């Protein structure tokens, strides 16, 4: 099941490249990191998240932002564009079923948190979302899920994430030895994703 993959074009202005992993009618959307810093759907952290979600029985939609890979348009560092691209991917996912997990890594993790706000069907899994893109009010509005932080992450410091998440329903899972790239804990990220998905199924 983990290797069941189907390319999809995410219609919109611009249209985006995407790929479904797994099968089923309960879904997750997984966003990559910053498009101007090498962020694309084949990123190892994105893949680890998707594999964990699929193991839990969800069908995961991975996508590239505008201007990345086969996606049309020009690559943009504007967070508003990232949110629009995530929203377009959500619309495609929802034609196949109910979206249960809003997921993403770094820049994409922040986008996932923003799109999950107010949703009654899903929870969030955000890996190393940059604190400047977050607020206590945003995190406090979420239904549940997890934020993953690295103890050696200078871009999304664990202390800042914990302060923002205090008082919310989100749990913070910290990998003490991990930096922003999480290379040493990729299998563990997959297990966290599987656990988050299992909590909404």
């Amino acid at each position: 099941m983990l290797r069941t993959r189907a390319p999809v074009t995410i219609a919109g202005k611009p249209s985006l490249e995407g790929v479904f992993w797994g099968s089923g009618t309960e879904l997750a959307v997984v966003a990559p990191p910053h498009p101007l810093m090498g962020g694309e759907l084949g990123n190892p952290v994105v893949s680890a998240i998707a594999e964990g979600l699929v193991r839990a029985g969800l069908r995961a939609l991975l996508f590239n932002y505008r201007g990345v890979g086969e996606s049309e348009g020009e690559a943009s560092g504007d967070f508003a564009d990232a949110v629009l691209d995530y929203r377009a991917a959500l619309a495609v996912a929802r034609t196949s079923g109910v979206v249960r997990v809003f997921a993403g890594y770094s820049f994409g993790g922040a986008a996932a948190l923003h799109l999950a706000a107010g949703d009654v069907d899903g929870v969030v899994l955000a890996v190393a979302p940059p604190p400047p893109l977050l607020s206590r009010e945003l995190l406090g509005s979420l239904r549940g899920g997890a934020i993953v932080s690295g103890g050696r992450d200078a871009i999304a410091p664990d202390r800042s994430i914990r302060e923002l998440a205090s008082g919310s329903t989100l749990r913070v899972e910290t990998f003490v030895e991990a930096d922003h790239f999480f290379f040493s804990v990729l299998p563990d990220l997959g297990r966290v994703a599987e656990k988050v998905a299992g909590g909404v199924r």
Side-chain angles (χ1 to χ4, degrees), residues 36-106:
L36 300 183
M37 299 179 184
E40 50 93 24
L41 62 80
N43 176 275
V45 172
V46 172
S47 295
I49 293 169
E51 288 179 357
L53 295 170
V54 173
R55 280 198 303 272
L58 296 183
R59 188 181 190 201
L61 174 59
L62 288 61
F63 69 94
N64 275 330
Y65 296 116
R66 62 189 65 194
V68 177
E70 299 300 316
S71 293
E72 295 180 346
E74 295 185 11
S76 169
D78 189 334
F79 185 62
D81 286 338
V83 170
L84 288 173
D85 291 348
Y86 199 116
R87 185 171 285 119
L90 275 175
V92 168
R94 284 172 170 152
T95 65
S96 299
V98 178
V99 175
R100 295 297 189 190
V101 179
F102 296 73
Y105 166 42
S106 192

Side-chain angles (χ1 to χ4, degrees), residues 107-146:
F107 197 66
L113 288 160
H114 281 264
L115 269 297
D119 186 86
V120 297
D121 295 314
V123 298
V124 71
L125 172 60
V127 176
L133 298 176
L134 311 178
S135 69
R136 288 176 62 91
E137 292 74 21
L138 170 67
L139 301 190
S141 72
L142 297 169
R143 176 183 170 214

Side-chain angles (χ1 to χ4, degrees), residues 135-144 147 160-172:
S135 69
R136 288 176 62 91
E137 292 74 21
L138 170 67
L139 301 190
S141 72
L142 297 169
R143 176 183 170 214
I147 299 178
S160 298
I161 287 175
R162 287 186 175 277
E163 288 175 352
L164 287 166
S166 64
S168 76
T169 60
L170 301 173
R171 70 178 187 274
V172 179

